[in-house]
């Protein structure tokens, strides 16, 4: 199955944030990602499963890289540790920096608009913590 036959995965929103995320995957710095469970539920999407492959799209909507999930956990935000935070490949030194950035994103105008309200983000907020490996890079 080629990357064009896989479900698409879009990091954040198109623009600089997505471009930095795709670049971090391609460089090997990013091996983890986090989603707000409430977004999956609101979109009617099932939580991804270990072994699932995705075509990660760039800001232009083109396949940039294929990843395979090697671990998926639904956990409260308080359970994210420093190792996972660093694996996000965004330069977080620890989970406190990860938490600040994710709280800001999850409360952003884009997420609030999508959900129809600003989500409550606290220690008990459930996130989908995913670790992955690069599976196949497009030609």
């Amino acid at each position: 199955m080629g990357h064009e036959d896989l479900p698409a995965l879009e990091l954040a929103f198109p623009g600089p944030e997505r471009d930095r995320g795709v670049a971090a995957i391609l460089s090997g710095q990013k091996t983890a990602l986090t989603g707000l469970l409430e977004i999956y539920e609101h979109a009617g999407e099932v939580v991804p499963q270990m072994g699932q492959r995705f075509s990660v799209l760039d800001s232009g909507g083109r396949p940039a890289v294929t990843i395979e999930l090697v671990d998926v956990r639904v956990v409260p935000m308080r359970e994210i540790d420093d190792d996972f935070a660093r694996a996000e490949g965004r330069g977080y030194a620890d989970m406190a920096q990860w938490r600040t950035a994710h709280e800001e994103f999850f409360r952003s105008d884009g997420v609030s608009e999508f959900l129809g309200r600003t989500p409550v983000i606290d220690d008990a907020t459930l996130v989908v913590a995913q670790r992955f490996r690069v599976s196949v890079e497009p030609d």
Side-chain angles (χ1 to χ4, degrees):
M1 178 183 299
H3 59 83
E4 63 278 347
D5 300 321
L6 295 172
L9 179 77
E10 298 175 290
L11 304 174
F13 297 106
E17 187 69 18
R18 179 176 297 168
D19 295 338
R20 281 191 294 274
V22 169
I25 291 172
L26 292 170
S27 74
Q29 292 176 300
K30 182 173 184 64
T31 59
L33 55 97
T34 308
L36 184 63
L37 180 62
E38 186 175 349
I39 292 174
Y40 286 95
E41 293 171 342
H42 184 77
E45 296 178 6
V46 297
V47 171
Q49 301 294 312
M50 190 172 78
Q52 208 171 350
R53 294 173 65 220
F54 292 90
S55 179
V56 180
L57 304 183
D58 65 16
S59 286
R62 296 174 301 271
V65 64
T66 298
I67 62 169
E68 179 181 352
L69 300 180
V70 296
D71 185 47
V72 179
R73 300 176 302 132
V74 176
V75 297
M77 285 187 85
R78 69 177 162 267
E79 290 187 21
I80 298 297
D81 60 18
D82 291 347
D83 181 61
F84 187 89
R86 286 189 289 271
E88 284 247 2
R90 299 300 183 104
Y92 307 132
D94 56 26
M95 64 77 56
Q97 288 182 350
W98 172 93
R99 172 89 179 240
T100 298
H102 282 75
E103 285 183 8
E104 183 178 305
F105 178 74
F106 293 153
R107 290 184 180 125
S108 70
D109 291 343
V111 171
S112 296
E113 183 178 314
F114 175 76
L115 294 174
R117 65 181 190 77
T118 301
V120 173
I121 306 298
D122 58 25
D123 278 351
T125 299
L126 295 177
V127 295
V128 183
Q130 304 164 70
R131 290 191 182 255
F132 61 86
R133 67 177 182 85
V134 171
S135 179
V136 177
E137 293 187 27
D139 298 322

